[in-house]
Coordinates of all heavy atoms in Angstrom, one line a residue:
M1 N 1.0 1.7 -31.5 CA 1.1 2.8 -30.6 C 0.0 2.7 -29.5 O -1.2 2.6 -29.9 CB 1.1 4.1 -31.3 CG 1.2 5.3 -30.3 SD 1.0 6.8 -31.2 CE 2.6 7.5 -30.9
D2 N 0.3 2.7 -28.3 CA -0.6 2.6 -27.2 C -1.2 4.0 -26.8 O -0.4 4.9 -26.4 CB 0.0 2.0 -26.0 CG -1.0 1.7 -24.9 OD1 -2.2 1.8 -25.1 OD2 -0.5 1.4 -23.8
A3 N -2.5 4.2 -27.0 CA -3.1 5.5 -26.7 C -3.5 5.7 -25.3 O -4.0 6.7 -24.9 CB -4.2 5.8 -27.7
T4 N -3.4 4.6 -24.5 CA -3.8 4.7 -23.1 C -2.8 5.5 -22.3 O -1.6 5.2 -22.3 CB -3.9 3.2 -22.5 OG1 -4.7 2.4 -23.3 CG2 -4.4 3.3 -21.1
P5 N -3.3 6.5 -21.6 CA -2.4 7.4 -20.8 C -1.9 6.6 -19.6 O -2.7 5.8 -19.0 CB -3.2 8.6 -20.4 CG -4.6 8.1 -20.5 CD -4.7 7.0 -21.6
K6 N -0.7 6.8 -19.2 CA -0.2 6.2 -18.0 C -0.6 7.0 -16.8 O -0.5 8.2 -16.9 CB 1.4 6.0 -18.1 CG 1.8 5.0 -19.1 CD 3.2 4.7 -19.0 CE 3.6 3.6 -20.0 NZ 4.9 3.0 -19.7
V7 N -1.0 6.3 -15.8 CA -1.4 7.0 -14.6 C -0.5 6.6 -13.5 O -0.3 5.4 -13.2 CB -2.9 6.6 -14.2 CG1 -3.3 7.3 -12.9 CG2 -3.8 7.0 -15.4
D8 N 0.1 7.6 -12.8 CA 1.0 7.3 -11.7 C 0.2 6.8 -10.5 O -0.9 7.3 -10.3 CB 1.8 8.5 -11.3 CG 2.8 8.9 -12.4 OD1 3.3 8.0 -13.1 OD2 3.1 10.1 -12.5
P9 N 0.7 5.8 -9.8 CA 0.0 5.4 -8.6 C -0.1 6.5 -7.6 O 0.8 7.4 -7.6 CB 0.8 4.2 -8.1 CG 2.2 4.4 -8.6 CD 2.0 5.2 -9.9
P10 N -1.1 6.5 -6.7 CA -1.2 7.6 -5.7 C 0.0 7.6 -4.8 O 0.6 6.5 -4.5 CB -2.5 7.2 -4.9 CG -3.2 6.2 -5.7 CD -2.2 5.6 -6.6
V11 N 0.4 8.7 -4.4 CA 1.6 8.9 -3.5 C 1.1 9.2 -2.1 O 0.2 10.0 -1.9 CB 2.5 10.0 -4.0 CG1 3.7 10.2 -3.1 CG2 3.0 9.7 -5.4
L12 N 1.6 8.5 -1.1 CA 1.2 8.7 0.2 C 2.4 9.4 0.9 O 3.5 8.9 0.9 CB 0.9 7.4 1.0 CG -0.3 6.7 0.4 CD1 -0.5 5.4 1.1 CD2 -1.6 7.5 0.4
D13 N 2.1 10.5 1.7 CA 3.2 11.2 2.4 C 3.5 10.4 3.7 O 2.8 9.4 4.0 CB 2.8 12.6 2.7 CG 1.5 12.8 3.5 OD1 1.1 11.8 4.2 OD2 1.0 13.9 3.5
E14 N 4.5 10.8 4.4 CA 4.9 10.2 5.6 C 3.8 10.1 6.7 O 3.7 9.2 7.4 CB 6.2 10.8 6.1 CG 7.4 10.3 5.4 CD 7.6 8.8 5.3 OE1 7.5 8.1 6.3 OE2 7.9 8.3 4.2
D15 N 3.1 11.2 6.8 CA 2.0 11.2 7.8 C 1.0 10.1 7.5 O 0.5 9.4 8.4 CB 1.3 12.6 7.8 CG 2.1 13.7 8.4 OD1 3.1 13.4 9.2 OD2 1.9 14.9 8.2
A16 N 0.6 10.0 6.2 CA -0.4 9.0 5.8 C 0.2 7.6 6.1 O -0.5 6.7 6.6 CB -0.7 9.2 4.4
L17 N 1.5 7.4 5.7 CA 2.1 6.1 6.0 C 2.2 5.8 7.4 O 2.0 4.6 7.8 CB 3.4 6.0 5.3 CG 3.4 6.0 3.8 CD1 4.8 6.1 3.2 CD2 2.7 4.7 3.3
A18 N 2.4 6.8 8.3 CA 2.5 6.5 9.7 C 1.1 6.0 10.2 O 1.1 5.1 11.0 CB 2.9 7.8 10.4
V19 N 0.1 6.7 9.8 CA -1.3 6.3 10.2 C -1.5 4.8 9.7 O -2.0 4.0 10.5 CB -2.3 7.2 9.6 CG1 -3.7 6.7 9.8 CG2 -2.2 8.6 10.3
L20 N -1.2 4.6 8.5 CA -1.5 3.2 7.9 C -0.7 2.2 8.6 O -1.2 1.1 8.9 CB -1.1 3.2 6.4 CG -2.2 3.6 5.5 CD1 -1.7 3.4 4.0 CD2 -3.4 2.8 5.7
R21 N 0.6 2.4 9.0 CA 1.4 1.5 9.7 C 0.8 1.1 11.0 O 0.7 -0.1 11.3 CB 2.8 2.0 9.9 CG 3.7 2.0 8.7 CD 5.1 2.5 9.0 NE 5.8 2.7 7.8 CZ 6.1 3.9 7.3 NH1 5.8 5.0 7.9 NH2 6.8 4.0 6.1
L22 N 0.3 2.0 11.7 CA -0.3 1.8 13.0 C -1.6 1.1 12.9 O -1.9 0.2 13.7 CB -0.3 3.0 13.9 CG 1.0 3.6 14.2 CD1 0.9 5.0 14.9 CD2 1.8 2.7 15.1
L23 N -2.5 1.5 12.0 CA -3.8 0.9 11.8 C -3.6 -0.5 11.3 O -4.4 -1.4 11.7 CB -4.6 1.7 10.8 CG -5.1 3.1 11.3 CD1 -5.8 3.8 10.2 CD2 -6.0 2.9 12.5
A24 N -2.6 -0.8 10.5 CA -2.3 -2.1 10.0 C -1.9 -3.1 11.1 O -2.1 -4.3 11.0 CB -1.2 -2.1 8.9
Q25 N -1.4 -2.5 12.2 CA -1.1 -3.4 13.4 C -2.3 -3.7 14.2 O -2.2 -4.4 15.2 CB -0.1 -2.6 14.2 CG 1.3 -2.4 13.6 CD 2.2 -1.6 14.5 OE1 2.0 -1.5 15.7 NE2 3.2 -1.0 13.8
G26 N -3.5 -3.2 13.8 CA -4.7 -3.4 14.5 C -4.9 -2.5 15.7 O -5.8 -2.8 16.5
L27 N -4.2 -1.4 15.8 CA -4.3 -0.5 16.9 C -5.6 0.3 16.7 O -6.0 0.7 15.6 CB -3.1 0.4 17.0 CG -1.8 -0.2 17.2 CD1 -0.7 0.8 17.2 CD2 -1.8 -1.0 18.6
P28 N -6.3 0.6 17.9 CA -7.5 1.5 17.8 C -7.1 2.9 17.5 O -5.9 3.3 17.7 CB -8.1 1.4 19.2 CG -7.2 0.5 20.0 CD -6.0 0.1 19.2
I29 N -8.0 3.6 16.9 CA -7.8 5.0 16.5 C -7.2 5.8 17.7 O -6.3 6.6 17.5 CB -9.1 5.6 15.9 CG1 -9.3 5.0 14.6 CG2 -9.0 7.1 15.8 CD1 -10.6 5.4 13.9
D30 N -7.8 5.7 18.9 CA -7.3 6.5 20.0 C -5.8 6.2 20.3 O -5.0 7.1 20.6 CB -8.1 6.3 21.2 CG -9.5 6.8 21.1 OD1 -9.7 7.7 20.2 OD2 -10.5 6.3 21.8
T31 N -5.4 4.9 20.2 CA -4.0 4.6 20.4 C -3.1 5.1 19.3 O -2.0 5.7 19.6 CB -3.9 3.0 20.5 OG1 -4.7 2.5 21.5 CG2 -2.4 2.6 20.8
V32 N -3.6 5.1 18.1 CA -2.8 5.7 17.0 C -2.6 7.1 17.2 O -1.6 7.7 17.0 CB -3.6 5.4 15.6 CG1 -2.9 6.2 14.5 CG2 -3.6 3.9 15.3
A33 N -3.7 7.8 17.6 CA -3.7 9.2 17.9 C -2.6 9.6 19.0 O -1.8 10.5 18.8 CB -5.0 9.7 18.3
V34 N -2.6 8.8 20.0 CA -1.6 9.1 21.1 C -0.2 8.9 20.6 O 0.7 9.7 20.9 CB -1.9 8.2 22.3 CG1 -0.8 8.2 23.3 CG2 -3.2 8.6 23.0
R35 N 0.0 7.8 19.9 CA 1.4 7.5 19.4 C 1.9 8.6 18.4 O 3.1 8.8 18.4 CB 1.4 6.1 18.7 CG 1.2 5.0 19.7 CD 1.9 3.8 19.2 NE 1.7 2.7 20.2 CZ 1.9 1.4 20.0 NH1 2.4 1.1 18.8 NH2 1.7 0.5 20.9
L36 N 0.9 9.1 17.7 CA 1.3 10.1 16.7 C 1.3 11.6 17.2 O 1.7 12.5 16.6 CB 0.5 10.0 15.4 CG 0.6 8.7 14.6 CD1 -0.4 8.7 13.5 CD2 2.0 8.5 14.2
G37 N 0.7 11.7 18.4 CA 0.6 13.0 19.0 C -0.4 13.9 18.4 O -0.2 15.1 18.3
V38 N -1.5 13.3 17.9 CA -2.6 14.0 17.3 C -3.9 13.6 17.9 O -3.9 12.7 18.7 CB -2.6 13.8 15.7 CG1 -1.3 14.3 15.1 CG2 -2.8 12.3 15.4
S39 N -5.0 14.2 17.5 CA -6.3 13.8 18.0 C -6.8 12.6 17.3 O -6.4 12.3 16.1 CB -7.3 15.0 17.9 OG -7.6 15.2 16.6
G40 N -7.8 12.0 17.9 CA -8.5 10.9 17.2 C -9.2 11.4 16.0 O -9.3 10.7 15.0
R41 N -9.7 12.6 16.0 CA -10.4 13.2 14.9 C -9.4 13.4 13.7 O -9.8 13.1 12.6 CB -10.9 14.6 15.3 CG -11.8 15.2 14.3 CD -12.4 16.5 14.8 NE -13.3 17.0 13.8 CZ -14.0 18.1 14.0 NH1 -14.0 18.7 15.2 NH2 -14.8 18.5 13.1
T42 N -8.2 13.7 14.0 CA -7.2 13.9 12.9 C -6.9 12.5 12.3 O -6.7 12.4 11.1 CB -5.9 14.5 13.5 OG1 -6.2 15.8 14.0 CG2 -4.8 14.6 12.5
V43 N -6.8 11.5 13.1 CA -6.5 10.1 12.6 C -7.7 9.7 11.7 O -7.4 9.2 10.6 CB -6.3 9.1 13.7 CG1 -6.2 7.7 13.2 CG2 -5.0 9.5 14.5
R44 N -8.9 9.9 12.1 CA -10.1 9.6 11.3 C -10.0 10.4 10.0 O -10.3 9.8 8.9 CB -11.3 9.9 12.1 CG -11.6 8.9 13.1 CD -13.0 9.2 13.9 NE -13.1 8.4 15.1 CZ -12.6 8.8 16.3 NH1 -12.0 9.9 16.4 NH2 -12.8 8.0 17.3
R45 N -9.7 11.6 10.1 CA -9.7 12.5 8.8 C -8.6 12.0 7.9 O -8.8 11.8 6.7 CB -9.4 13.9 9.2 CG -9.5 14.9 8.1 CD -9.3 16.3 8.5 NE -8.2 16.6 9.4 CZ -6.9 16.7 9.2 NH1 -6.5 16.5 7.9 NH2 -6.1 16.9 10.1
R46 N -7.4 11.7 8.4 CA -6.3 11.2 7.6 C -6.7 9.8 7.0 O -6.4 9.6 5.8 CB -5.0 11.1 8.4 CG -4.4 12.4 8.7 CD -3.1 12.3 9.5 NE -2.6 13.6 9.8 CZ -1.6 13.8 10.7 NH1 -1.0 12.8 11.2 NH2 -1.2 15.0 11.0
S47 N -7.3 9.0 7.8 CA -7.7 7.7 7.3 C -8.7 7.8 6.1 O -8.6 7.1 5.1 CB -8.3 6.9 8.5 OG -8.8 5.7 8.1
R48 N -9.7 8.7 6.3 CA -10.6 8.9 5.2 C -9.9 9.4 3.9 O -10.2 9.0 2.8 CB -11.8 9.9 5.6 CG -12.8 9.2 6.5 CD -14.0 10.1 6.6 NE -13.7 11.5 7.2 CZ -13.6 11.7 8.5 NH1 -13.9 10.8 9.4 NH2 -13.3 13.0 8.9
A49 N -9.0 10.4 4.1 CA -8.3 10.9 3.0 C -7.5 9.9 2.3 O -7.4 9.9 1.1 CB -7.4 12.1 3.5
I50 N -6.8 9.0 3.1 CA -6.0 7.9 2.5 C -6.9 7.0 1.6 O -6.6 6.7 0.5 CB -5.3 7.1 3.6 CG1 -4.3 7.9 4.3 CG2 -4.8 5.8 3.0 CD1 -3.8 7.3 5.6
C51 N -8.1 6.7 2.2 CA -9.0 5.8 1.5 C -9.5 6.4 0.2 O -9.6 5.8 -0.9 CB -10.2 5.4 2.3 SG -9.8 4.3 3.7
Q52 N -9.8 7.7 0.2 CA -10.2 8.4 -1.0 C -9.1 8.5 -2.0 O -9.3 8.3 -3.2 CB -10.7 9.8 -0.6 CG -12.0 9.9 0.1 CD -12.4 11.3 0.5 OE1 -11.5 12.2 0.6 NE2 -13.6 11.4 0.9
R53 N -7.9 8.8 -1.6 CA -6.7 8.9 -2.5 C -6.5 7.5 -3.2 O -6.1 7.5 -4.4 CB -5.5 9.3 -1.7 CG -4.3 9.4 -2.7 CD -3.1 10.0 -2.0 NE -3.3 11.4 -1.9 CZ -2.8 12.3 -1.1 NH1 -1.9 11.8 -0.3 NH2 -3.0 13.5 -1.1
L54 N -6.6 6.4 -2.4 CA -6.4 5.1 -3.0 C -7.6 4.5 -3.6 O -7.5 3.4 -4.2 CB -5.8 4.2 -1.9 CG -4.5 4.6 -1.2 CD1 -4.1 3.6 -0.2 CD2 -3.4 4.8 -2.3
N55 N -8.7 5.1 -3.5 CA -10.0 4.6 -4.0 C -10.3 3.3 -3.4 O -10.6 2.3 -4.2 CB -9.9 4.6 -5.6 CG -11.3 4.4 -6.1 OD1 -12.3 4.9 -5.6 ND2 -11.4 3.8 -7.3
V56 N -10.2 3.2 -2.1 CA -10.6 2.0 -1.4 C -11.7 2.3 -0.4 O -11.8 3.5 0.0 CB -9.4 1.3 -0.7 CG1 -8.4 0.8 -1.8 CG2 -8.8 2.2 0.3
S57 N -12.4 1.3 0.1 CA -13.5 1.6 1.0 C -13.2 1.6 2.5 O -14.0 2.1 3.3 CB -14.6 0.6 0.7 OG -14.1 -0.7 1.0
A58 N -12.0 1.1 2.9 CA -11.7 1.0 4.3 C -10.2 1.1 4.5 O -9.4 0.7 3.6 CB -12.2 -0.4 4.8
P59 N -9.9 1.5 5.7 CA -8.4 1.6 6.0 C -7.7 0.3 5.9 O -6.5 0.3 5.5 CB -8.4 2.1 7.5 CG -9.7 2.9 7.6 CD -10.7 2.1 6.8
I60 N -8.3 -0.8 6.2 CA -7.6 -2.1 6.1 C -7.3 -2.3 4.6 O -6.2 -2.9 4.3 CB -8.4 -3.2 6.7 CG1 -7.5 -4.5 6.9 CG2 -9.7 -3.5 6.0 CD1 -6.4 -4.3 7.8
A61 N -8.1 -2.0 3.7 CA -7.9 -2.1 2.3 C -6.7 -1.2 1.9 O -5.8 -1.6 1.1 CB -9.1 -1.8 1.5
A62 N -6.6 0.0 2.5 CA -5.5 0.8 2.2 C -4.2 0.2 2.7 O -3.1 0.3 2.1 CB -5.7 2.2 2.8
A63 N -4.3 -0.4 3.9 CA -3.1 -1.0 4.5 C -2.6 -2.2 3.6 O -1.4 -2.4 3.4 CB -3.4 -1.5 5.9
V64 N -3.6 -3.0 3.1 CA -3.2 -4.1 2.2 C -2.5 -3.5 0.9 O -1.5 -4.0 0.5 CB -4.5 -4.9 1.8 CG1 -4.2 -5.9 0.7 CG2 -5.0 -5.6 3.0
W65 N -3.1 -2.4 0.4 CA -2.5 -1.8 -0.8 C -1.1 -1.4 -0.6 O -0.2 -1.6 -1.4 CB -3.4 -0.6 -1.2 CG -2.9 0.2 -2.4 CD1 -3.3 0.0 -3.7 CD2 -1.9 1.2 -2.4 NE1 -2.6 0.9 -4.5 CE2 -1.8 1.7 -3.7 CE3 -1.2 1.9 -1.4 CZ2 -0.9 2.7 -4.1 CZ3 -0.3 2.9 -1.8 CH2 -0.2 3.3 -3.2
A66 N -0.8 -0.7 0.6 CA 0.5 -0.3 0.9 C 1.4 -1.4 1.2 O 2.6 -1.4 0.8 CB 0.4 0.7 2.1
A67 N 1.0 -2.5 1.8 CA 1.8 -3.6 2.1 C 2.2 -4.3 0.8 O 3.4 -4.8 0.7 CB 1.1 -4.6 3.0
Q68 N 1.3 -4.4 -0.1 CA 1.6 -5.1 -1.4 C 2.7 -4.3 -2.2 O 3.3 -4.9 -3.0 CB 0.3 -5.2 -2.3 CG -0.7 -6.2 -1.7 CD -2.0 -6.2 -2.5 OE1 -2.3 -5.2 -3.1 NE2 -2.7 -7.3 -2.4
R69 N 2.8 -3.1 -1.9 CA 3.8 -2.2 -2.6 C 5.1 -2.0 -1.7 O 5.9 -1.2 -2.1 CB 3.2 -0.9 -3.0 CG 2.2 -1.1 -4.1 CD 1.1 -0.1 -4.2 NE 0.2 -0.3 -5.3 CZ -0.8 -1.2 -5.3 NH1 -1.0 -1.9 -4.2 NH2 -1.5 -1.4 -6.3
G70 N 5.2 -2.7 -0.6 CA 6.3 -2.7 0.2 C 6.5 -1.4 1.0 O 7.6 -1.0 1.4
L71 N 5.4 -0.7 1.2 CA 5.4 0.6 1.9 C 5.3 0.5 3.4 O 5.5 1.4 4.2 CB 4.3 1.5 1.4 CG 4.4 1.9 -0.1 CD1 3.2 2.7 -0.5 CD2 5.7 2.6 -0.4
L72 N 4.8 -0.7 3.9 CA 4.6 -0.9 5.3 C 5.7 -1.8 5.9 O 6.2 -2.6 5.2 CB 3.3 -1.5 5.6 CG 2.1 -0.7 5.2 CD1 0.8 -1.4 5.6 CD2 2.1 0.7 5.9

């Protein structure tokens, strides 16, 4: 019997995935903000939240994580 609890992978909502998709294209934060109709500050905040949720150090690492799972 395996006593290790199963942990579900982090779930990203559509807003988070939208930010990741655009950042993964190499777009600057200001361009991402314009395309999403939000402020650059909002993009930065969402980007930090994504990194924290996925336990990665940078948005590009989050984009790689999402791409490996077919989310991008």
Side-chain angles (χ1 to χ4, degrees):
M1 177 183 243
D2 187 12
T4 305
K6 291 191 177 194
V7 178
D8 292 329
V11 177
L12 298 177
D13 61 20
E14 283 304 313
D15 289 339
L17 288 174
V19 168
L20 272 183
R21 284 183 189 109
L22 295 173
L23 290 175
Q25 293 175 24
L27 298 175
I29 287 175
D30 292 337
T31 302
V32 173
V34 168
R35 291 205 182 170
L36 296 177
V38 298
S39 71
R41 187 176 186 175
T42 297
V43 172
R44 285 181 193 86
R45 183 177 45 80
R46 288 180 184 171
S47 178
R48 280 191 304 272
I50 292 165
C51 289
Q52 288 175 344
R53 178 172 284 160
L54 299 180
N55 196 30
V56 297
S57 60
I60 192 66
V64 169
W65 180 93
Q68 290 173 336
R69 286 152 181 83
L71 299 174
L72 298 183

